[in-house]
Amino acid sequence: MNILSLTCKDLAAELDRLHGKGHYHARALYRDVFKLGRRTCAESPEFADAPTLAAQLAADLRFPDCRISAQHDDGSVLKFITTLADGETIESVLIPDKGRTTLCVSSQVGCRMGCKFCVTGQMGLRRHLQVEEIVWQLYAARFVLKRPVNNIVFMGMGEPLDNVEPVIQAVRVMADQRGLNLACSHMTVSTAGHVDGLRRLAAERLPNLRLAVSIHAANDALRNQLVPLNVRYPLARLKDALLAFPLPRRGVFFIEYVQLAGVNDSPEHAEALARYLAGLPVRVNVIPYNGGSSRLFVTPDRARVDQFCDALVAQGLFVRRRHPRGRNVMAACGQLGGVIA
Ligand code: SF4
């Protein structure tokens, strides 16, 4: 049993299938693994009268063969690198802020979307992550690094909706109240506009799951260049998918816009973005491009960022200017998978 890929209900079904046992033992085992960080249930009072079953379960349990192979802390964020069973590596970032900690998780090794400003995109896709490898990142943050995690964002390596089934199951596991217990309202799945993945996610109706959509340009010609996925799913199709997405009451889409100096950062670009977003409930996050050590584009200066944000606000949009953090450890947006500077 790959325990990190199972909800408590899934585990109960497995215990029933393998040992004729049900929810009572499943809940105890699940609590021990996901709340206490144990790898066995031998110490649980629920198994005091069933040492043979406890031993069988210990033999059945499988944890992903993952280990934290490096950590880089710049004082504001902590990036940790996990080496997977096949030697591939993924990156995750812990971001403390105002007493809360957000964990940015990867969903793939590399990414095939090829966004032009993104270091991960330059790697190409090496492989999808399995459910337990996604969940491992939260498990490791809590039980290996001993960090509290209050929020999850799927904004690490990979396009989550290009690996949609494992991502959906990972959300279910991380949200399970009998285990890791992170409400869907504290998880954000980010997409570059994968329309088929959006439809699949919409059908799942994960309650209150937050959705971030990276737009970066509001006309197809420019977006085709910056986000090649746009050739497959042009802006009009993406908007139709968003209009059909079952947001909760008062829910919003978080629109991500990486601002690239001289490319997509003029007041006219802002007006085009506002026109595109008309009719959608949104919050816009403007993210000045992070150069890091790989200078694919130019970072806009402060005046240019302010001008762009002001133009959006003038169109009635709610805008937040994001301050890039983690430049020193290549942990900022679009930088995972890069060489440590
Ligand atoms: S920005 Fe996201 S979707 Fe685009 S290449 Fe990078 S990881 Fe992939």
Side-chain angles (χ1 to χ4, degrees):
M1 293 184 292
N2 279 316
I3 183 81
L4 296 195
S5 68
L6 302 177
T7 63
C8 190
K9 198 171 160 196
D10 299 334
L11 179 64
E14 277 294 279
L15 291 199
D16 182 36
R17 185 178 69 79
L18 294 171
H19 302 289
K21 299 291 179 184
H23 289 281
Y24 177 74
H25 290 99
R27 285 173 189 167
L29 174 57
Y30 207 76
R31 175 203 62 214
D32 285 4
V33 170
F34 286 103
K35 287 200 186 292
L36 304 177
R38 293 180 181 154
R39 294 197 169 212
T40 161
C41 51
E43 299 165 51
S44 304
E46 291 87 344
F47 287 87
D49 296 333
T52 309
L53 176 62
Q56 284 172 334
L57 291 182
D60 288 344
L61 279 192
R62 294 278 174 272
F63 286 81
D65 184 9
C66 299
R67 67 186 169 83
I68 295 178
S69 48
Q71 297 178 46
H72 306 276
D73 191 341
D74 76 347
S76 68
V77 304
L78 170 70
K79 177 163 86 169
F80 62 93
I81 298 174
T82 297
T83 299
L84 308 171
D86 58 1
E88 294 284 6
T89 57
I90 53 167
E91 303 181 4
S92 320
V93 185
L94 279 158
I95 310 158
D97 191 26
K98 295 179 189 146
R100 306 181 67 77
T101 300
T102 297
L103 175 66
C104 176
V105 298
S106 293
S107 54
Q108 297 175 312
V109 183
C111 182
R112 62 178 151 197
M113 298 304 140
C115 301
K116 287 294 178 286
F117 50 84
C118 174
V119 174
T120 310
Q122 316 301 309
M123 293 173 63
L125 177 67
R126 298 180 65 88
R127 71 169 171 83
H128 297 302
L129 290 188
Q130 296 166 343
V131 178
E132 58 269 28
E133 293 169 326
I134 299 172
V135 175
W136 151 264
Q137 297 167 71
L138 173 56
Y139 182 88
R142 285 203 175 154
F143 297 114
V144 180
L145 300 174
K146 312 268 188 234
R147 299 289 186 112
V149 176
N150 314 98
N151 299 297
I152 295 279
V153 292
F154 284 79
M155 294 185 183
M157 298 166 72
E159 159 58 55
L161 298 188
D162 190 37
N163 189 24
V164 67
E165 298 302 335
V167 164
I168 287 171
Q169 177 67 359
V171 167
R172 285 200 202 101
V173 175
M174 293 192 289
D176 197 312
Q177 292 182 338
R178 296 190 182 279
L180 294 165
N181 192 25
L182 257 177
C184 280
S185 56
H186 289 261
M187 288 190 240
T188 304
V189 170
S190 174
T191 179
H194 195 297
V195 168
D196 288 334
L198 273 172
R199 296 226 167 88
R200 176 68 191 90
L201 193 63
E204 200 61 25
R205 292 189 178 265
L206 294 162
N208 298 322
L209 184 69
R210 292 152 60 110
L211 190 67
V213 186
S214 298
I215 297 293
H216 310 319
N219 72 74
D220 282 320
L222 180 56
R223 196 164 189 269
N224 284 347
Q225 290 174 31
L226 297 177
V227 184
L229 184 63
N230 193 71
V231 175
R232 184 167 159 203
Y233 303 118
L235 283 159
R237 279 190 69 191
L238 174 57
K239 185 163 182 178
D240 286 346
L242 294 176
L243 286 167
F245 195 85
L247 279 179
R249 261 187 70 219
R250 291 202 285 274
V252 294
F253 298 109
F254 296 89
I255 302 299
E256 310 291 316
Y257 196 99
V258 170
Q259 207 186 355
L260 310 165
V263 176
N264 66 351
D265 66 336
S266 71
E268 292 73 31
H269 289 118
E271 281 160 25
L273 179 62
R275 275 196 303 279
Y276 178 69
L277 296 176
L280 290 169
V282 295
R283 298 279 181 272
V284 181
N285 291 320
V286 174
I287 309 150
Y289 170 70
N290 283 297
S293 63
S294 93
R295 305 206 175 275
L296 301 166
F297 288 90
V298 176
T299 305
D301 61 30
R302 191 173 186 106
R304 193 75 169 166
V305 177
D306 289 345
Q307 191 184 30
F308 187 85
C309 291
D310 290 348
L312 290 176
V313 171
Q315 299 287 330
L317 288 164
F318 182 94
V319 180
R320 279 194 307 183
R321 175 184 162 154
R322 305 298 262 186
H323 297 281
R325 297 168 68 188
R327 285 183 194 210
N328 294 338
V329 291
M330 292 295 280
C333 179
Q335 292 189 330
L336 297 190
V339 180
I340 305 295

